[in-house]
């Protein structure tokens, strides 16, 4: 019953932790752009760019977008400006260098949007059924509060009078306002120009430096919090060591990744760099470390209480359950993160099902041992510390693992018995004995008369009755048989101890008093030994 109670407790803990991870997934799943969208879009862009071998690439909206995209990626702002329409702009916009406008538009766009190349027309006429004038093509929109900023391509004549697609002048006129909402402070722009020019994972130089500083500050800050909490828990005498283990690693890592998850969104990272954080990657790591730490914390509390009750089997019983629960939590966290990243869980689970079938076939014996371990843990025919006999192996149970059970034989050697065998065959547990049986045979000479035999039976029964450790149950001395070389007097009694080391002195005392009775009555023992005839 206790094993069932333990399983229920761990099942409750498991359900609570899994529910927490599910709620975390629901919180981060509300994003508009997923990691899979980024990967798919980049793949399509590369394929389209590879096939873009045209004499007039600006003749279609898709060709113009790919040229704008390539120029922005290489920070060729002057070239990018050649693919934009700077006619009929307000005077305050004309005073801004075209290269600066293209740079700011690229920085704002890469923070909040990606180009969906699959939805852009590759026809010279563009899309005619999108509700826009035939000379316009919508690339995407940016929202700020209730305001919406649409970015268009527009079909305009080039220097030779041919119709080409370029970034519209209406979109260019919005760039200063967009920058005021989404752009960086002037101090960061100065820092960006002062630092060496480099990028890492689509992040600008100052963002990389800031992220490194945030990591260092987060680690130092959580270290200070850990130190304060450790000082506080030093005052607790109950579970103090267990709480310290929870604070030192799991709780500190939880706070560390939680702080990073909040801070990275304050850096204005490009969408392609931020999308992995938008999937809740750091939040999942934080929740995962906390969940694993809580499981280990509960395990330590249970084991401590069990050991205090002299239940030495507790570590061997709980450890495999905790390991299994941790694996389930990790697998579930990975699956939820993949779903948040935009991957189809049906496809992933189908692949896992096929892979699991292959693994199960390849590891059939291993799985048998694992299920055998759970049988031992639930039914609990033995526990660590029990003295038992399995086949021709006699010894003390040292440990019950997921694969095998370790026995220490009487000669102090260790034997590993697979759990599949241990749970399926006959097992004799000597430690489960509640009372020790005293059974002794006395062969007396055939020359002894019936009166002496009767007197011997009476006195020998008195020996059993008067001994304080002998139980009344099945207590007797009987004249059981007449054999060729002697009369068989059989003594039977149960001793009120389960400890074999306590039983031996009691049995020795009874033997001596039985012999004293026979000596007093001048009854001699037979010299015949039944073993001689075998």
């Amino acid at each position: 019953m206790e094993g069932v109670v333990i399983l229920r407790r761990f099942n409750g803990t498991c359900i609570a932790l899994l529910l927490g991870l599910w709620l975390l997934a629901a919180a981060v799943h509300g994003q508009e752009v997923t990691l899979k969208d980024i990967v798919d879009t980049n793949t399509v862009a590369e394929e389209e760019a590879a096939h873009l071998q045209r004499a007039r690439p600006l003749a279609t909206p898709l060709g113009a977008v790919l040229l704008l995209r390539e120029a922005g990626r290489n920070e060729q702002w002057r070239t990018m400006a050649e693919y934009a329409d700077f006619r009929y702009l307000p005077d305050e916009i004309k005073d801004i260098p075209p290269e600066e406008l293209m740079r700011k538009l690229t920085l704002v766009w890469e923070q909040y949007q990606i180009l969906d190349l699959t939805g852009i027309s590759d026809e010279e006429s563009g899309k005619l059924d999108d509700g826009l004038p035939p000379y316009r093509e919508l690339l995407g929109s940016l929202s700020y509060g209730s305001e919406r900023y649409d970015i268009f391509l527009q079909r305009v004549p080039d220097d030779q009078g041919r119709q080409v697609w370029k970034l519209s002048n209406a979109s260019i006129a919005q760039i200063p306002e967009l920058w005021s909402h989404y752009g960086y402070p002037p101090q960061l722009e100065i820092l960006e120009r002062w630092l060496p020019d480099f990028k890492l994972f689509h992040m600008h130089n100052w963002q990389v430096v800031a992220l490194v500083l945030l990591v260092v500050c987060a680690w130092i800050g959580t270290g200070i919090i850990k130190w304060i909490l450790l000082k506080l828990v030093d005052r607790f005498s109950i579970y103090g060591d267990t709480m310290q283990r929870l604070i030192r690693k799991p709780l500190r890592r939880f706070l560390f990744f939680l702080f990073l998850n909040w801070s990275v969104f304050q850096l204005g990272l490009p969408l392609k760099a931020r999308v992995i954080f938008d999937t809740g990657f750091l939040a999942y790591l934080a929740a995962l470390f906390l969940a694993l730490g809580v499981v280990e914390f509960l395990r330590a509390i249970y084991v401590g209480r069990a050991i205090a009750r002299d239940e030495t089997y507790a570590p061997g019983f709980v450890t495999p359950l905790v390991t299994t629960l941790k694996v389930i939590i990790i697998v579930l966290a990975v699956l939820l993160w993949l779903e948040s990243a935009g991957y189809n869980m049906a496809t992933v689970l189908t692949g896992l099902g096929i892979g699991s079938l292959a693994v199960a076939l390849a590891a059939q014996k291993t799985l048998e041992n694992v299920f055998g371990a759970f049988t031992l843990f639930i039914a609990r025919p033995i526990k660590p510390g029990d003295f038992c006999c399995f086949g021709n192996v006699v010894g003390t149970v040292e440990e019950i693992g997921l694969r095998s059970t370790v026995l220490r034989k009487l000669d102090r050697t260790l034997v590993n018995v697979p759990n599949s065998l241990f749970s399926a065959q006959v097992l004799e547990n000597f430690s489960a004995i509640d009372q020790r049986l005293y059974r002794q045979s006395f062969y007396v000479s055939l020359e002894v008369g019936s009166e002496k035999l009767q007197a011997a039976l009476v006195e020998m029964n008195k020996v059993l009755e008067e001994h304080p450790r002998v139980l009344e149950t099945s207590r007797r001395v009987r004249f059981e048989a007449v054999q060729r070389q002697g009369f068989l007097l059989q003594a039977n009694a149960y001793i009120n101890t389960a400890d074999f080391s306590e039983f031996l002195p009691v049995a020795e005392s009874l033997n001596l008093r039985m012999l004293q009775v026979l000596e007093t009555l001048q009854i001699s023992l037979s010299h015949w030994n039944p073993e001689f005839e075998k």
Side-chain angles (χ1 to χ4, degrees), residues 189-473:
E189 294 191 72
I190 296 173
L191 178 62
E192 183 178 17
R193 289 192 292 268
W194 179 77
L195 291 171
D197 187 20
F198 68 92
K199 279 189 175 183
L200 182 64
F201 300 117
H202 305 285
M203 292 186 294
H204 299 281
N205 51 10
W206 69 270
Q207 291 171 333
V208 176
V209 173
L211 184 60
V212 172
L213 291 176
L214 281 174
V215 170
V216 174
C217 292
W219 189 252
I220 295 175
T222 54
I224 295 174
I225 295 175
K226 180 192 77 171
W227 180 80
I228 295 173
L229 293 176
L230 289 176
K231 290 295 182 181
L232 292 176
V233 299
D234 279 342
R235 302 180 179 181
F236 294 94
S237 58
I238 302 177
Y239 307 133
D241 293 339
T242 305
M243 294 178 66
Q244 286 183 1
R245 287 195 296 269
L246 177 65
I247 292 170
R248 282 194 179 96
K249 288 186 178 180
L251 186 60
R252 182 183 184 181
R253 291 172 181 173
F254 167 73
L255 295 175
F256 173 74
F257 286 111
L258 202 63
F259 176 77
L260 283 185
N261 184 63
W262 171 82
S263 59
V264 292
F265 294 102
Q266 315 304 318
L267 296 178
L269 297 178
L271 185 59
K272 292 181 179 179
R274 198 182 72 239
V275 69
I276 191 170
F277 303 113
D278 284 347
T279 61
F281 175 71
L282 292 176
Y284 275 114
L285 274 181
L288 185 60
F289 278 115
L290 183 62
L292 297 179
V294 169
V295 170
E296 191 62 30
F297 178 76
L298 296 176
R299 185 200 72 84
I301 289 179
Y302 171 76
V303 170
R305 289 179 176 178
I307 292 177
R309 297 193 299 266
D310 293 330
E311 297 176 0
T312 55
Y313 65 88
F317 182 82
V318 174
T319 299
L321 293 178
V322 170
T323 302
T324 303
L325 180 58
K326 287 181 178 180
V327 171
I328 292 174
I329 292 174
I330 292 172
V331 171
L332 183 64
V334 172
L335 292 178
L336 291 176
W337 178 76
L338 288 175
E339 184 180 15
S340 300
Y343 291 91
N344 189 341
M345 280 297 96
T347 304
V348 174
L349 291 176
T350 301
L352 287 177
I354 296 174
S356 299
L357 179 60
V359 171
L361 292 175
Q364 183 176 1
K365 291 298 182 183
T366 301
L367 293 177
E368 287 181 2
N369 290 328
V370 172
F371 286 118
F374 281 111
T375 302
L376 292 175
F377 298 145
I378 296 173
R380 221 173 63 182
I382 57 171
K383 59 183 181 294
D386 283 357
F387 184 73
C388 64
C389 176
F390 174 76
N392 60 350
V393 179
V394 177
T396 304
V397 179
E398 292 275 324
E399 180 184 358
I400 302 175
L402 282 178
R403 194 198 71 83
S404 63
T405 297
V406 181
L407 294 178
R408 186 175 293 278
K409 296 173 63 178
L410 297 178
D411 60 0
R412 307 303 295 167
T413 59
L414 290 177
V415 177
N416 288 272
V417 181
N419 289 330
S420 58
L421 298 177
F422 220 119
S423 61
Q425 296 187 15
V426 176
L427 175 67
E428 187 175 3
N429 190 349
F430 298 111
S431 298
I433 295 176
D434 57 347
Q435 301 168 0
R436 291 285 172 174
L437 173 64
Y438 170 77
R439 182 178 178 85
Q440 189 60 264
S441 299
F442 297 92
Y443 289 90
V444 299
S445 173
L446 292 174
E447 297 177 356
V448 178
S450 60
E451 294 182 359
K452 285 190 175 182
L453 284 178
Q454 184 65 36
L457 292 173
V458 172
E459 294 299 323
M460 293 173 77
N461 275 292
K462 284 184 179 180
V463 170
L464 295 180
E465 292 172 4
E466 295 173 356
H467 201 288
R469 301 300 298 272
V470 175
L471 300 174
E472 187 176 353
T473 305

Side-chain angles (χ1 to χ4, degrees), residues 438 463-464 467 470 495 506-514:
Y438 170 77
V463 170
L464 295 180
H467 201 288
V470 175
I495 311 302
V506 176
E508 182 180 82
S509 173
L510 291 173
N511 289 335
L512 291 173
R513 294 180 67 179
M514 294 291 185

